[in-house]
Amino acid sequence: MTNDDTIDSENNNVESNSTPSMAVDVETSSAPTNTNESQYDENLKKKRKLTSPAWEHFKKMKHLGAESKNGTKHLLDHIAVCPMIRQRDTRQMLLKANSSSDGKCASLDTYHFNPEVSRYELGRMIVLHEYLLSIVEHEGFRRYSNSLQPLFKVPSRNTIRADILKMFEAEKWKLQRVLESNSSRVAITTDMWIASNQKRGYMAITAHFIDESWVLQDRIMRFMYVPSPHDAENLGDALMECLLDWNIERKLLTLTLDNCSTNDAMVNVMLDKLDKSLLLVNGKLLHMRCAAHILNLIVKEGLENLFGSGVERIR
């Protein structure tokens, strides 16, 4: 066999070790035989950038056998079944202490750091305690997080905001499935709140229902901005949009509102929008007046009659 035949027969081949780091190499027929392996690897890197994920587990070596046109599918197939790759690296394991009910350490288990879980818990903490989104950009908070887990990269304000919105969509989907499968009706309470510093009106809508275990559940469905004027039409449209969004307009039981003329007119607007045949007694029991608000009005009226403006002077 001549030297030219030897050059033409040199192609790509795969060599796999028994460790997670495996070896593969490809040599084209144009590679000179008198070039050492290091120079060959440098020339090969300049020719083409490796994009297949298989090269995260294999490295190139100069060998005889396969052709470069075969691709990396056989390498990916081997990665999927390789027992050495599936084995978790125990050097990155940590010990986690599990406390018992009396506060004492009961056992020690292995712990593997997951940054996705940490980002989820960070977003949940911001929602639970109503922290500002800018807390993730505070220098003190970043130093504190780094002292707890240096491997955790604190996300930016926009990133944590996107994470919180994903959490909301996931929880909303779960609650919609619960409401669809639940056979009981849903009672709605709503109230308007005017922000004193912004002079803007917001509507809070809460759903109350009894689950399959006969436990009363309360869920805030929406807290939304309602543009002015806050008349019956605008309030009714905002409330109806929320009911349609949650698909509970056919399972509506009652609407509990404050005792004011605007809410009375809003109920009439809602009756025009809803299918009365799906409501109790054709909607005659839809409007429920808030008993706590009525008691508040009674006490306030009684105090004014007894003491007049003295109560304001005491305050």
Side-chain angles (χ1 to χ4, degrees):
M1 181 180 295
T2 64
N3 292 334
D4 294 337
D5 295 335
T6 303
I7 294 176
D8 293 336
S9 64
E10 291 182 355
N11 294 312
N12 304 333
N13 194 16
V14 177
E15 179 182 348
S16 176
N17 298 328
S18 59
T19 62
S21 176
M22 289 162 281
V24 173
D25 192 21
V26 177
E27 181 178 3
T28 61
S29 59
S30 61
T33 57
N34 58 351
T35 305
N36 58 40
E37 186 173 346
S38 61
Q39 291 178 340
Y40 176 74
D41 290 340
E42 292 179 0
N43 295 334
L44 191 59
K45 291 180 180 178
K46 293 180 181 179
K47 289 182 180 179
R48 183 179 60 184
K49 183 178 179 181
L50 303 179
T51 58
S52 174
W55 301 118
E56 298 178 1
H57 303 276
F58 292 87
K59 64 180 180 180
K60 286 183 172 294
M61 294 185 64
K62 183 178 179 181
H63 210 280
L64 303 177
E67 297 181 357
S68 60
K69 63 181 181 181
N70 290 340
T72 59
K73 184 179 183 302
H74 60 296
L75 305 181
L76 298 175
D77 293 340
H78 177 77
I79 293 174
V81 298
C82 180
M84 299 303 297
I85 295 180
R86 289 186 176 184
Q87 183 178 358
R88 180 176 291 178
D89 188 1
T90 57
R91 292 175 298 178
Q92 298 182 3
M93 288 286 188
L94 301 176
L95 290 179
K96 176 183 177 182
N98 294 328
S99 301
S100 58
S101 58
D102 56 359
K104 298 181 180 179
C105 181
S107 62
L108 291 175
D109 294 332
T110 56
Y111 164 75
H112 185 74
F113 171 66
N114 189 342
E116 296 298 327
V117 175
S118 298
R119 278 180 53 176
Y120 174 83
E121 292 297 334
L122 177 59
R124 186 176 182 275
M125 179 194 71
I126 293 176
V127 174
L128 183 63
H129 300 288
E130 301 179 358
Y131 293 143
L132 297 177
L133 295 177
S134 59
I135 189 177
V136 297
E137 299 177 350
H138 294 173
E139 179 64 21
F141 179 79
R142 288 181 173 271
R143 289 172 60 90
Y144 173 71
S145 299
N146 184 69
S147 66
L148 294 177
Q149 178 52 266
L151 297 178
F152 177 61
K153 182 180 179 181
V154 180
S156 64
R157 182 190 310 188
N158 293 332
T159 302
I160 199 64
R161 179 179 180 273
D163 291 345
I164 292 175
L165 292 178
K166 291 180 181 178
M167 293 168 54
F168 168 75
E169 293 297 335
E171 294 297 327
K172 179 180 178 181
W173 183 86
K174 292 179 183 178
L175 184 55
Q176 284 179 332
R177 303 289 83 75
V178 171
L179 293 175
E180 288 178 0
S181 60
N182 194 21
S183 58
S184 66
R185 288 180 174 266
V186 181
I188 298 295
T189 59
T190 180
D191 195 11
M192 285 293 299
W193 172 69
I194 306 297
S196 58
N197 58 337
Q198 297 178 344
K199 303 299 181 183
R200 305 178 70 179
Y202 297 88
M203 175 183 285
I205 304 174
T206 308
H208 313 269
F209 62 95
I210 298 176
D211 61 13
E212 299 296 337
S213 301
W214 284 88
V215 177
L216 179 62
Q217 302 289 341
D218 305 307
R219 297 291 186 274
I220 297 178
M221 312 294 287
R222 201 162 181 184
F223 185 85
M224 59 182 174
Y225 165 68
V226 180
S228 300
H230 299 150
D231 53 12
E233 288 293 335
N234 286 340
L235 296 179
D237 292 341
L239 181 57
M240 191 65 191
E241 178 186 353
C242 178
L243 298 180
L244 294 175
D245 185 34
W246 286 87
N247 298 323
I248 56 175
E249 72 279 1
R250 296 177 175 270
K251 305 179 68 173
L252 191 60
L253 179 63
T254 58
L255 283 176
T256 303
L257 308 166
D258 286 346
N259 189 25
C260 65
S261 58
T262 303
N263 288 336
D264 294 341
M266 184 185 70
V267 172
N268 295 329
V269 173
M270 293 294 298
L271 289 174
D272 294 336
K273 296 177 178 293
L274 294 170
D275 187 356
K276 294 182 180 180
S277 62
L278 300 175
L279 301 175
L280 294 180
V281 199
N282 292 327
K284 294 180 180 179
L285 301 179
L286 179 64
H287 187 194
M288 289 290 169
R289 304 180 186 275
C290 180
H293 185 253
I294 295 175
L295 290 176
N296 182 46
L297 295 177
I298 293 173
V299 173
K300 185 182 295 185
E301 184 71 18
L303 291 176
E304 289 180 358
N305 292 334
L306 288 176
F307 303 103
S309 60
V311 176
E312 296 295 333
R313 288 197 295 268
I314 294 175
R315 290 177 177 173

